[in-house]
Amino acid sequence: MSPLTSPHERMLVALSRWRVQLGFCFAVPALLFAHATPVSYLSFLPVVLLGVAIRTWARGHLDRAERVCMGGPYGWVRHPLYVGSFLVGLGVTLMALPWVFIPLYVAIFAAMYVPKAMREEVHLARQFGTAYATYAAEVPAVLPRFGHVASIGILSHFEWRRVWRHREWRTWVGVASVLVYVWLRMAPWS
């Protein structure tokens, strides 16, 4: 049996490959319900900004094809980009949407990113073998073990050129656009 023969496996591949586009398909209708208050906006803005900061920090350490990335946030979790993305979406959901959207957001995010993370783990294990197995055994996938940072392998240092090369500015523009939209929806002139 070839690796992608079952409908379930094909669905996982499709979800992971189309996660950004599917995310927009869910985000646009959800944002039509957006109605933040100044208190909710300011209360959950730090969650959004923390997510953006984690993503930027991760991009500044990421060298995909060269080695197992272990520096910066990759010493805490194996998937810091997904953690950052989750926090951005959760922050916007908490600031702007009715609370019933929270479980829906979590379910949709998991349906799109868990398959991606699983595919990525398999790819990295094939590409880096024992080095990745050692790393995966020491570093949790998405929930850090506080007080424990990986001390294996070659650690990278943050470089802005990596951030730009990975086009993280697109995330900044997207998040800023959503934040402006949510702000205008709560303004008295909307």
Side-chain angles (χ1 to χ4, degrees):
M1 188 174 204
S2 69
L4 299 175
T5 56
S6 78
H8 176 73
E9 290 168 316
R10 285 192 297 272
M11 182 186 73
L12 289 178
V13 170
L15 284 172
S16 70
R17 284 188 181 152
W18 294 93
R19 70 192 181 286
V20 174
Q21 294 84 350
L22 289 171
F24 279 116
C25 290
F26 291 112
V28 170
L31 285 174
L32 294 176
F33 288 98
H35 187 72
T37 65
V39 170
S40 71
Y41 192 92
L42 294 175
S43 295
F44 295 108
L45 181 61
V47 176
V48 175
L49 297 178
L50 176 62
V52 170
I54 290 171
R55 284 187 54 86
T56 302
W57 186 29
R59 288 290 192 200
H61 284 275
L62 185 59
D63 275 329
R64 287 186 186 141
E66 297 175 21
R67 65 185 182 281
V68 177
C69 190
M70 298 177 203
Y74 292 94
W76 293 86
V77 295
R78 294 193 309 270
H79 302 287
L81 286 168
Y82 305 155
V83 171
S85 295
F86 178 80
L87 290 173
V88 168
L90 181 64
V92 170
T93 301
L94 290 167
M95 80 169 43
L97 296 171
W99 291 81
V100 298
F101 278 87
I102 296 168
L104 182 62
Y105 167 72
V106 171
I108 290 169
F109 188 91
M112 291 186 299
Y113 279 88
V114 168
K116 173 63 176 160
M118 291 167 59
R119 288 183 63 230
E120 188 174 285
E121 296 270 338
V122 169
H123 170 74
L124 291 170
R126 284 183 188 144
Q127 183 174 1
F128 298 112
T130 305
Y132 190 76
T134 302
Y135 170 70
E138 186 167 336
V139 178
V142 293
L143 295 174
R145 281 183 254 147
F146 291 101
H148 175 79
V149 179
S151 59
I152 55 177
I154 301 168
L155 299 180
S156 62
H157 61 282
F158 182 90
E159 292 182 12
W160 280 106
R161 70 173 177 82
R162 292 183 185 127
V163 175
W164 296 114
R165 186 178 68 219
H166 294 295
R167 298 184 302 265
E168 189 62 15
W169 62 269
R170 295 189 306 186
T171 299
W172 304 336
V173 170
V175 171
S177 299
V178 167
L179 291 174
V180 166
Y181 173 81
V182 170
W183 178 265
L184 292 174
R185 293 268 308 185
M186 79 174 176
W189 55 82
S190 66

